Amino acid sequence: MDRGWGFLIGLLGAVWLLSSGHGEQQPPETAAQRCFCQVSGYLDDCTCDVETIDRFNNYRLFPRLQKLLESDYFRYYKVNLKRPCPFWNDISQCGRRDCAVKPCQSDEVPDGIKSASYKYSEEANNLIEECEQAERLGAVDESLSEETQKAVLQWTKHDDSSDNFCEADDIQSPDAEYVDLLLNPERYTGYKGPDAWKIWNVIYEENCFKPQTIKRPLNPLASGQGKSEENTFYSWLEGLCVEKRAFYRLISGLHASINVHLSARYLLQETWLEKKWGHNITEFQQRFDGILTEGEGPRRLKNLYFLYLIELRALSKVLPFFERPDFQLFTGNKIQDEENKMLLLEILHEIKSFPLHFDENSFFAGDKKEAHKLKEDFRLHFRNISRIMDCVGCFKCRLWGKLQTQGLGTALKILFSEKLIANMPESGPSYEFHLTRQEIVSLFNAFGRISTSVKELENFRNLLQSIH
């Protein structure tokens, strides 16, 4: 069995224990307890505890990660926000100003990024810029050496790889534009109600291996829900194989993380002079309070921590790819590129030092053919979710939805490619495992969003301490 798949089965199975056990408890006394009493201490049979994750993220990782994401390489993301929804035509576009995305002007993006934004080194940038002037693969410049032509073929192969978990944008499309993520932050836009619910409903109901007869708790588009529906849902979920349960929890964790961001950067006050953004405690409680959400809120937060551990593990496994001398965070500014690579490697080594990573050597089980089928199911379902992001009516929400799903898809690609990563050559093109610039930027920004969510949970804990 593929070492990466064997590890992933074990990892997802172990972390699934985060959500086990739903015994009756006395109503907590404070607002903070209602949100967080079930999201603290040791996570059931897992050796990892929330406090260790919080300390590691909030004080050792978060500050350096934010600094890295402010650099030119990571702040500019090329995206096509004009792709039509492939599933339905009646998209209600959000007309609010806060839903708009301001793309970059051509002179605002570093030349090194614009030259060939999806390659990862100076050599690759120069090479692909030449070759893409021809007609794709069949017109590779014959003046290039045989070795170079082979490299172009390999890069093209990886760009179109069937191992990708997301349907990526065609960044060569005239509709694809660079966006400065720092100038278009993820925050509350006012996009809500049936249009927003429809997106998440399709994701959960049609792409999380769930039959229509099983009702998801607190589904705003389903009527007549009660305790029996909740019990039925979790009985069904616990009866799934660990991989499919984990898939649901990844999506739930992503949903929870996005809701934390919207609650933490909420439009609190607007005047003709300025807008004031900040923490909306009421909004946070409506989404995560154990009583107000009938027990769902704490489960959602556990799934957020589950997502954090999955992406953290992926980053720890992909370190050899970034350690290779040929890899650059290429923008054209040599000094800054070198400094940012050093910071990137510091962060990845810090992640690798996390004390509670799982030992994948303990996890080898299951039939190889069945494992391959499950991986393919994972990939197809997740690719479908990435396509649903083109149906989001708020362009800023669409931007961050596309980026975060691509980032999670890249993390899954890494976890399923452990053997390929281990067999990479120390120098020269990596033919078996490859990440495009789009994947790299989305991977780290998506993890940055989850890291921010964990940090914001500490802020909300403090804000809720005195509320009863």
Side-chain angles (χ1 to χ4, degrees), residues 7 31 58 60 94 104 138 153 159 167 181 211 255 287 302 307 324 342 354-355 357-359 367 389 406 449 453:
F7 152 67
N58 298 348
R60 293 173 60 182
C94 173
C104 297
L153 294 174
D159 289 340
E167 185 171 301
L181 298 174
H255 193 182
R287 298 174 187 270
K302 285 185 177 182
L307 174 64
R324 300 164 69 249
M342 289 178 59
F354 181 65
H357 276 309
F358 294 93
D359 180 9
D367 177 72
M389 291 300 114
Q406 185 178 23
R449 294 280 75 209
S453 292

Side-chain angles (χ1 to χ4, degrees), residues 18-124:
L18 297 180
S19 64
S20 64
H22 307 302
E24 295 296 325
Q25 298 186 11
Q26 295 297 319
E29 295 180 353
T30 68
Q33 287 175 316
R34 289 200 300 272
C35 291
F36 294 109
C37 70
Q38 298 177 50
V39 194
S40 63
Y42 280 94
L43 301 171
D44 300 322
D45 294 332
C46 177
T47 59
C48 191
D49 62 278
V50 167
E51 288 77 12
T52 297
I53 297 172
D54 287 342
R55 285 194 301 270
F56 177 79
N57 178 76
N58 298 348
Y59 303 105
R60 293 173 60 182
L61 197 59
F62 178 79
R64 281 185 283 182
L65 182 58
Q66 293 307 303
K67 181 180 178 181
L68 180 71
L69 297 180
E70 291 172 0
S71 68
D72 284 351
Y73 187 90
F74 289 98
R75 70 185 290 182
Y76 295 108
Y77 181 65
K78 198 169 189 182
V79 61
N80 182 357
L81 297 176
K82 299 177 182 178
R83 286 178 57 165
C85 172
F87 301 107
W88 59 83
N89 297 321
D90 57 330
I91 299 180
S92 299
Q93 299 291 355
C94 173
R96 297 170 60 93
R97 286 182 299 169
D98 295 326
C99 286
V101 171
K102 182 182 179 181
C104 297
Q105 299 297 316
S106 180
D107 58 356
E108 295 175 333
V109 183
D111 291 337
I113 292 177
K114 288 188 296 186
S115 63
S117 61
Y118 57 89
K119 303 306 170 187
Y120 63 84
S121 71
E122 183 175 11
E123 177 187 3

Side-chain angles (χ1 to χ4, degrees), residues 125-144:
N125 272 273
N126 295 336
L127 170 63
I128 301 303
E129 188 175 16
E130 291 179 46
C131 295
E132 285 176 349
Q133 293 173 1
E135 292 182 8
R136 194 68 175 161
L137 191 60
V140 173
D141 188 346
E142 294 181 357
S143 67
L144 299 175

Side-chain angles (χ1 to χ4, degrees), residues 15 18 36 38-40 43 48-55 57-58 249-250 252-254 256-257 298-312 447 450 453-458 461:
V15 184
L18 297 180
F36 294 109
Q38 298 177 50
V39 194
S40 63
L43 301 171
C48 191
D49 62 278
V50 167
E51 288 77 12
T52 297
I53 297 172
D54 287 342
R55 285 194 301 270
N57 178 76
N58 298 348
R249 300 197 63 217
L250 289 174
S252 174
L254 177 60
S257 180
R299 289 192 182 99
R300 295 168 179 170
L301 294 180
K302 285 185 177 182
N303 291 338
L304 190 159
Y305 279 98
F306 173 75
L307 174 64
Y308 182 92
L309 288 172
I310 290 296
E311 294 206 10
L312 189 77
F447 182 69
I450 305 165
S453 292
V454 172
K455 176 67 175 174
E456 290 293 359
L457 290 183
E458 179 182 63
R461 280 191 189 95

